[in-house]
PDB file of all heavy atoms in Angstrom:
ATOM      1  N   ALA A   1      74.626 152.923  91.080  1.00  0.00           N
ATOM      2  CA  ALA A   1      74.046 151.975  91.815  1.00  0.00           C
ATOM      3  C   ALA A   1      75.057 151.037  92.564  1.00  0.00           C
ATOM      4  O   ALA A   1      76.130 150.770  92.060  1.00  0.00           O
ATOM      5  CB  ALA A   1      73.072 151.195  90.911  1.00  0.00           C
ATOM      6  N   ASP A   2      74.782 150.591  93.696  1.00  0.00           N
ATOM      7  CA  ASP A   2      75.483 149.764  94.560  1.00  0.00           C
ATOM      8  C   ASP A   2      76.188 148.567  93.782  1.00  0.00           C
ATOM      9  O   ASP A   2      77.326 148.192  93.871  1.00  0.00           O
ATOM     10  CB  ASP A   2      75.000 149.359  95.840  1.00  0.00           C
ATOM     11  CG  ASP A   2      74.825 150.450  96.864  1.00  0.00           C
ATOM     12  OD1 ASP A   2      75.403 151.497  96.742  1.00  0.00           O
ATOM     13  OD2 ASP A   2      74.013 150.266  97.786  1.00  0.00           O
ATOM     14  N   SER A   3      75.229 147.935  93.090  1.00  0.00           N
ATOM     15  CA  SER A   3      75.692 146.752  92.293  1.00  0.00           C
ATOM     16  C   SER A   3      76.628 146.978  91.152  1.00  0.00           C
ATOM     17  O   SER A   3      77.293 146.049  90.544  1.00  0.00           O
ATOM     18  CB  SER A   3      74.492 146.007  91.785  1.00  0.00           C
ATOM     19  OG  SER A   3      73.714 146.722  90.809  1.00  0.00           O
ATOM     20  N   MET A   4      76.782 148.157  90.735  1.00  0.00           N
ATOM     21  CA  MET A   4      77.810 148.625  89.615  1.00  0.00           C
ATOM     22  C   MET A   4      78.953 149.088  90.038  1.00  0.00           C
ATOM     23  O   MET A   4      79.949 149.204  89.366  1.00  0.00           O
ATOM     24  CB  MET A   4      76.976 149.691  88.796  1.00  0.00           C
ATOM     25  CG  MET A   4      75.551 149.569  88.537  1.00  0.00           C
ATOM     26  SD  MET A   4      75.129 147.886  87.865  1.00  0.00           S
ATOM     27  CE  MET A   4      73.339 148.010  88.011  1.00  0.00           C
ATOM     28  N   LYS A   5      79.069 149.471  91.399  1.00  0.00           N
ATOM     29  CA  LYS A   5      80.319 150.163  91.841  1.00  0.00           C
ATOM     30  C   LYS A   5      81.490 149.241  91.773  1.00  0.00           C
ATOM     31  O   LYS A   5      81.375 148.003  92.038  1.00  0.00           O
ATOM     32  CB  LYS A   5      80.174 150.609  93.288  1.00  0.00           C
ATOM     33  CG  LYS A   5      79.276 151.687  93.603  1.00  0.00           C
ATOM     34  CD  LYS A   5      79.059 152.016  95.077  1.00  0.00           C
ATOM     35  CE  LYS A   5      78.095 153.186  95.245  1.00  0.00           C
ATOM     36  NZ  LYS A   5      77.864 153.399  96.689  1.00  0.00           N
ATOM     37  N   GLY A   6      82.653 149.681  91.246  1.00  0.00           N
ATOM     38  CA  GLY A   6      83.846 148.886  90.990  1.00  0.00           C
ATOM     39  C   GLY A   6      83.759 148.106  89.659  1.00  0.00           C
ATOM     40  O   GLY A   6      84.858 147.574  89.375  1.00  0.00           O
ATOM     41  N   ARG A   7      82.685 148.074  89.022  1.00  0.00           N
ATOM     42  CA  ARG A   7      82.576 147.342  87.661  1.00  0.00           C
ATOM     43  C   ARG A   7      82.286 148.338  86.611  1.00  0.00           C
ATOM     44  O   ARG A   7      82.938 148.191  85.396  1.00  0.00           O
ATOM     45  CB  ARG A   7      81.571 146.313  87.728  1.00  0.00           C
ATOM     46  CG  ARG A   7      81.781 145.201  88.793  1.00  0.00           C
ATOM     47  CD  ARG A   7      80.941 144.029  88.589  1.00  0.00           C
ATOM     48  NE  ARG A   7      79.547 144.325  88.457  1.00  0.00           N
ATOM     49  CZ  ARG A   7      78.627 144.106  87.602  1.00  0.00           C
ATOM     50  NH1 ARG A   7      78.955 143.572  86.464  1.00  0.00           N
ATOM     51  NH2 ARG A   7      77.323 144.316  87.866  1.00  0.00           N
ATOM     52  N   PHE A   8      81.434 149.264  86.662  1.00  0.00           N
ATOM     53  CA  PHE A   8      80.983 150.191  85.737  1.00  0.00           C
ATOM     54  C   PHE A   8      81.572 151.591  86.025  1.00  0.00           C
ATOM     55  O   PHE A   8      81.780 152.076  87.152  1.00  0.00           O
ATOM     56  CB  PHE A   8      79.502 150.304  85.783  1.00  0.00           C
ATOM     57  CG  PHE A   8      78.775 149.079  85.293  1.00  0.00           C
ATOM     58  CD1 PHE A   8      79.405 147.980  85.023  1.00  0.00           C
ATOM     59  CD2 PHE A   8      77.395 149.113  84.985  1.00  0.00           C
ATOM     60  CE1 PHE A   8      78.698 146.759  84.628  1.00  0.00           C
ATOM     61  CE2 PHE A   8      76.685 148.097  84.548  1.00  0.00           C
ATOM     62  CZ  PHE A   8      77.324 146.810  84.313  1.00  0.00           C
ATOM     63  N   THR A   9      81.928 152.362  84.979  1.00  0.00           N
ATOM     64  CA  THR A   9      82.409 153.737  84.975  1.00  0.00           C
ATOM     65  C   THR A   9      81.645 154.529  84.078  1.00  0.00           C
ATOM     66  O   THR A   9      81.595 154.345  82.887  1.00  0.00           O
ATOM     67  CB  THR A   9      83.818 153.774  84.821  1.00  0.00           C
ATOM     68  OG1 THR A   9      84.585 152.883  85.696  1.00  0.00           O
ATOM     69  CG2 THR A   9      84.461 155.047  85.029  1.00  0.00           C
ATOM     70  N   ILE A  10      80.999 155.632  84.551  1.00  0.00           N
ATOM     71  CA  ILE A  10      80.403 156.510  83.674  1.00  0.00           C
ATOM     72  C   ILE A  10      81.253 157.737  83.509  1.00  0.00           C
ATOM     73  O   ILE A  10      82.088 158.214  84.376  1.00  0.00           O
ATOM     74  CB  ILE A  10      79.078 157.045  84.338  1.00  0.00           C
ATOM     75  CG1 ILE A  10      78.184 157.774  83.339  1.00  0.00           C
ATOM     76  CG2 ILE A  10      79.237 157.769  85.675  1.00  0.00           C
ATOM     77  CD1 ILE A  10      76.812 158.084  83.827  1.00  0.00           C
ATOM     78  N   SER A  11      81.423 158.382  82.164  1.00  0.00           N
ATOM     79  CA  SER A  11      82.095 159.413  81.918  1.00  0.00           C
ATOM     80  C   SER A  11      81.364 160.291  80.816  1.00  0.00           C
ATOM     81  O   SER A  11      80.520 159.895  80.166  1.00  0.00           O
ATOM     82  CB  SER A  11      83.570 158.878  81.569  1.00  0.00           C
ATOM     83  OG  SER A  11      83.472 158.075  80.281  1.00  0.00           O
ATOM     84  N   THR A  12      82.038 161.420  80.449  1.00  0.00           N
ATOM     85  CA  THR A  12      81.527 162.172  79.371  1.00  0.00           C
ATOM     86  C   THR A  12      82.676 162.784  78.594  1.00  0.00           C
ATOM     87  O   THR A  12      83.948 162.937  79.150  1.00  0.00           O
ATOM     88  CB  THR A  12      80.828 163.498  79.953  1.00  0.00           C
ATOM     89  OG1 THR A  12      81.593 164.361  80.805  1.00  0.00           O
ATOM     90  CG2 THR A  12      79.475 162.907  80.780  1.00  0.00           C
ATOM     91  N   ASP A  13      82.516 163.160  77.385  1.00  0.00           N
ATOM     92  CA  ASP A  13      83.382 163.943  76.603  1.00  0.00           C
ATOM     93  C   ASP A  13      82.605 165.110  76.048  1.00  0.00           C
ATOM     94  O   ASP A  13      81.874 164.990  75.025  1.00  0.00           O
ATOM     95  CB  ASP A  13      83.870 163.019  75.486  1.00  0.00           C
ATOM     96  CG  ASP A  13      85.018 163.801  74.615  1.00  0.00           C
ATOM     97  OD1 ASP A  13      85.098 164.972  74.705  1.00  0.00           O
ATOM     98  OD2 ASP A  13      85.801 163.025  74.047  1.00  0.00           O
ATOM     99  N   ASN A  14      82.781 166.190  76.761  1.00  0.00           N
ATOM    100  CA  ASN A  14      81.829 167.256  76.416  1.00  0.00           C
ATOM    101  C   ASN A  14      82.280 167.867  74.860  1.00  0.00           C
ATOM    102  O   ASN A  14      81.260 168.396  74.260  1.00  0.00           O
ATOM    103  CB  ASN A  14      82.096 168.500  77.359  1.00  0.00           C
ATOM    104  CG  ASN A  14      81.283 168.150  78.699  1.00  0.00           C
ATOM    105  OD1 ASN A  14      80.398 167.265  78.765  1.00  0.00           O
ATOM    106  ND2 ASN A  14      81.685 168.854  79.848  1.00  0.00           N
ATOM    107  N   ALA A  15      83.484 167.677  74.566  1.00  0.00           N
ATOM    108  CA  ALA A  15      83.872 168.218  73.253  1.00  0.00           C
ATOM    109  C   ALA A  15      83.101 167.519  72.067  1.00  0.00           C
ATOM    110  O   ALA A  15      82.795 168.071  71.068  1.00  0.00           O
ATOM    111  CB  ALA A  15      85.379 168.103  73.080  1.00  0.00           C
ATOM    112  N   LYS A  16      82.850 166.200  72.441  1.00  0.00           N
ATOM    113  CA  LYS A  16      82.202 165.426  71.483  1.00  0.00           C
ATOM    114  C   LYS A  16      80.640 165.187  71.665  1.00  0.00           C
ATOM    115  O   LYS A  16      79.869 164.487  70.994  1.00  0.00           O
ATOM    116  CB  LYS A  16      82.708 164.049  71.371  1.00  0.00           C
ATOM    117  CG  LYS A  16      84.195 163.892  70.886  1.00  0.00           C
ATOM    118  CD  LYS A  16      84.732 162.570  70.790  1.00  0.00           C
ATOM    119  CE  LYS A  16      86.168 162.425  70.299  1.00  0.00           C
ATOM    120  NZ  LYS A  16      86.682 161.160  70.072  1.00  0.00           N
ATOM    121  N   ASN A  17      80.152 165.870  72.917  1.00  0.00           N
ATOM    122  CA  ASN A  17      78.788 165.748  73.201  1.00  0.00           C
ATOM    123  C   ASN A  17      78.360 164.253  73.421  1.00  0.00           C
ATOM    124  O   ASN A  17      77.205 164.019  72.996  1.00  0.00           O
ATOM    125  CB  ASN A  17      77.942 166.496  72.271  1.00  0.00           C
ATOM    126  CG  ASN A  17      76.887 167.406  72.964  1.00  0.00           C
ATOM    127  OD1 ASN A  17      76.914 167.627  74.135  1.00  0.00           O
ATOM    128  ND2 ASN A  17      75.691 167.645  72.221  1.00  0.00           N
ATOM    129  N   THR A  18      79.197 163.557  74.050  1.00  0.00           N
ATOM    130  CA  THR A  18      78.989 162.121  74.150  1.00  0.00           C
ATOM    131  C   THR A  18      79.215 161.674  75.559  1.00  0.00           C
ATOM    132  O   THR A  18      80.242 162.013  76.226  1.00  0.00           O
ATOM    133  CB  THR A  18      79.896 161.415  73.159  1.00  0.00           C
ATOM    134  OG1 THR A  18      79.562 161.769  71.838  1.00  0.00           O
ATOM    135  CG2 THR A  18      79.532 159.895  73.288  1.00  0.00           C
ATOM    136  N   GLY A  19      78.374 160.865  76.074  1.00  0.00           N
ATOM    137  CA  GLY A  19      78.591 160.221  77.321  1.00  0.00           C
ATOM    138  C   GLY A  19      78.876 158.679  77.115  1.00  0.00           C
ATOM    139  O   GLY A  19      78.620 158.088  76.013  1.00  0.00           O
ATOM    140  N   TYR A  20      79.590 158.013  78.203  1.00  0.00           N
ATOM    141  CA  TYR A  20      79.944 156.708  77.982  1.00  0.00           C
ATOM    142  C   TYR A  20      79.691 155.866  79.218  1.00  0.00           C
ATOM    143  O   TYR A  20      79.612 156.436  80.313  1.00  0.00           O
ATOM    144  CB  TYR A  20      81.506 156.599  77.804  1.00  0.00           C
ATOM    145  CG  TYR A  20      81.957 157.341  76.591  1.00  0.00           C
ATOM    146  CD1 TYR A  20      82.448 158.547  76.739  1.00  0.00           C
ATOM    147  CD2 TYR A  20      81.909 156.722  75.361  1.00  0.00           C
ATOM    148  CE1 TYR A  20      82.890 159.339  75.484  1.00  0.00           C
ATOM    149  CE2 TYR A  20      82.349 157.501  74.140  1.00  0.00           C
ATOM    150  CZ  TYR A  20      82.872 158.746  74.349  1.00  0.00           C
ATOM    151  OH  TYR A  20      83.213 159.413  73.268  1.00  0.00           O
ATOM    152  N   LEU A  21      79.409 154.640  79.196  1.00  0.00           N
ATOM    153  CA  LEU A  21      79.319 153.691  80.208  1.00  0.00           C
ATOM    154  C   LEU A  21      80.310 152.481  79.953  1.00  0.00           C
ATOM    155  O   LEU A  21      79.960 151.790  79.129  1.00  0.00           O
ATOM    156  CB  LEU A  21      77.962 153.227  80.371  1.00  0.00           C
ATOM    157  CG  LEU A  21      77.769 152.301  81.655  1.00  0.00           C
ATOM    158  CD1 LEU A  21      77.887 152.989  82.906  1.00  0.00           C
ATOM    159  CD2 LEU A  21      76.403 151.582  81.624  1.00  0.00           C
ATOM    160  N   GLN A  22      81.325 152.495  80.676  1.00  0.00           N
ATOM    161  CA  GLN A  22      82.355 151.382  80.577  1.00  0.00           C
ATOM    162  C   GLN A  22      81.955 150.360  81.603  1.00  0.00           C
ATOM    163  O   GLN A  22      81.787 150.548  82.720  1.00  0.00           O
ATOM    164  CB  GLN A  22      83.764 151.872  80.851  1.00  0.00           C
ATOM    165  CG  GLN A  22      84.805 150.863  80.973  1.00  0.00           C
ATOM    166  CD  GLN A  22      85.104 150.154  79.452  1.00  0.00           C
ATOM    167  OE1 GLN A  22      85.253 150.995  78.540  1.00  0.00           O
ATOM    168  NE2 GLN A  22      85.143 148.917  79.356  1.00  0.00           N
ATOM    169  N   MET A  23      81.781 149.107  80.989  1.00  0.00           N
ATOM    170  CA  MET A  23      81.189 147.966  81.731  1.00  0.00           C
ATOM    171  C   MET A  23      82.240 146.796  81.786  1.00  0.00           C
ATOM    172  O   MET A  23      82.683 146.263  80.678  1.00  0.00           O
ATOM    173  CB  MET A  23      79.752 147.585  81.215  1.00  0.00           C
ATOM    174  CG  MET A  23      78.772 148.531  81.157  1.00  0.00           C
ATOM    175  SD  MET A  23      77.178 147.883  80.690  1.00  0.00           S
ATOM    176  CE  MET A  23      77.506 147.395  79.023  1.00  0.00           C
ATOM    177  N   ASN A  24      82.794 146.652  82.958  1.00  0.00           N
ATOM    178  CA  ASN A  24      83.755 145.513  83.062  1.00  0.00           C
ATOM    179  C   ASN A  24      83.096 144.441  83.977  1.00  0.00           C
ATOM    180  O   ASN A  24      82.211 144.595  84.794  1.00  0.00           O
ATOM    181  CB  ASN A  24      85.007 146.096  83.740  1.00  0.00           C
ATOM    182  CG  ASN A  24      85.733 147.118  82.879  1.00  0.00           C
ATOM    183  OD1 ASN A  24      85.658 147.072  81.657  1.00  0.00           O
ATOM    184  ND2 ASN A  24      86.302 148.138  83.528  1.00  0.00           N
ATOM    185  N   SER A  25      83.825 143.302  83.994  1.00  0.00           N
ATOM    186  CA  SER A  25      83.460 142.092  84.794  1.00  0.00           C
ATOM    187  C   SER A  25      81.921 141.891  84.596  1.00  0.00           C
ATOM    188  O   SER A  25      81.219 141.743  85.711  1.00  0.00           O
ATOM    189  CB  SER A  25      83.861 142.353  86.186  1.00  0.00           C
ATOM    190  OG  SER A  25      85.238 142.631  86.400  1.00  0.00           O
ATOM    191  N   LEU A  26      81.489 141.873  83.415  1.00  0.00           N
ATOM    192  CA  LEU A  26      80.044 141.661  83.188  1.00  0.00           C
ATOM    193  C   LEU A  26      79.576 140.234  83.703  1.00  0.00           C
ATOM    194  O   LEU A  26      80.222 139.295  83.616  1.00  0.00           O
ATOM    195  CB  LEU A  26      79.732 141.863  81.748  1.00  0.00           C
ATOM    196  CG  LEU A  26      79.690 143.338  81.252  1.00  0.00           C
ATOM    197  CD1 LEU A  26      79.790 143.482  79.738  1.00  0.00           C
ATOM    198  CD2 LEU A  26      78.460 144.030  81.804  1.00  0.00           C
ATOM    199  N   LYS A  27      78.350 140.291  84.117  1.00  0.00           N
ATOM    200  CA  LYS A  27      77.651 139.170  84.645  1.00  0.00           C
ATOM    201  C   LYS A  27      76.333 138.830  83.864  1.00  0.00           C
ATOM    202  O   LYS A  27      75.888 139.797  83.259  1.00  0.00           O
ATOM    203  CB  LYS A  27      77.249 139.230  86.127  1.00  0.00           C
ATOM    204  CG  LYS A  27      78.414 139.709  87.028  1.00  0.00           C
ATOM    205  CD  LYS A  27      77.977 140.009  88.394  1.00  0.00           C
ATOM    206  CE  LYS A  27      79.103 140.537  89.320  1.00  0.00           C
ATOM    207  NZ  LYS A  27      78.659 140.813  90.624  1.00  0.00           N
ATOM    208  N   PRO A  28      75.865 137.567  83.745  1.00  0.00           N
ATOM    209  CA  PRO A  28      74.663 137.381  83.126  1.00  0.00           C
ATOM    210  C   PRO A  28      73.522 138.145  83.522  1.00  0.00           C
ATOM    211  O   PRO A  28      72.638 138.535  82.748  1.00  0.00           O
ATOM    212  CB  PRO A  28      74.374 135.826  83.321  1.00  0.00           C
ATOM    213  CG  PRO A  28      75.766 135.327  83.435  1.00  0.00           C
ATOM    214  CD  PRO A  28      76.554 136.318  84.305  1.00  0.00           C
ATOM    215  N   GLU A  29      73.418 138.541  84.858  1.00  0.00           N
ATOM    216  CA  GLU A  29      72.436 139.419  85.435  1.00  0.00           C
ATOM    217  C   GLU A  29      72.472 140.811  84.967  1.00  0.00           C
ATOM    218  O   GLU A  29      71.554 141.596  85.048  1.00  0.00           O
ATOM    219  CB  GLU A  29      72.309 139.335  86.861  1.00  0.00           C
ATOM    220  CG  GLU A  29      73.619 139.641  87.512  1.00  0.00           C
ATOM    221  CD  GLU A  29      74.389 138.384  87.945  1.00  0.00           C
ATOM    222  OE1 GLU A  29      74.411 137.419  87.115  1.00  0.00           O
ATOM    223  OE2 GLU A  29      74.932 138.294  89.053  1.00  0.00           O
ATOM    224  N   ASP A  30      73.502 141.226  84.194  1.00  0.00           N
ATOM    225  CA  ASP A  30      73.610 142.455  83.646  1.00  0.00           C
ATOM    226  C   ASP A  30      72.903 142.605  82.093  1.00  0.00           C
ATOM    227  O   ASP A  30      72.812 143.681  81.669  1.00  0.00           O
ATOM    228  CB  ASP A  30      75.140 142.915  83.388  1.00  0.00           C
ATOM    229  CG  ASP A  30      75.811 143.174  84.649  1.00  0.00           C
ATOM    230  OD1 ASP A  30      75.296 143.662  85.620  1.00  0.00           O
ATOM    231  OD2 ASP A  30      77.054 142.801  84.690  1.00  0.00           O
TER     232      ASP A  30
END
């Protein structure tokens, strides 16, 4: 989503069958 670009990063670790959402520069509206 446009509002997340540059702040959030989505990734996967297929070996662990796990996905991640790294959230930086968090705002109250998050």
Side-chain angles (χ1 to χ4, degrees):
D2 287 343
S3 62
M4 320 304 173
K5 292 179 180 178
R7 298 194 300 125
F8 291 8
T9 303
I10 189 170
S11 63
T12 60
D13 185 339
N14 287 341
K16 296 182 178 181
N17 218 21
T18 300
Y20 303 96
L21 182 69
Q22 177 68 45
M23 304 185 295
N24 299 325
S25 301
L26 284 163
K27 306 173 182 179
E29 51 263 44
D30 295 319

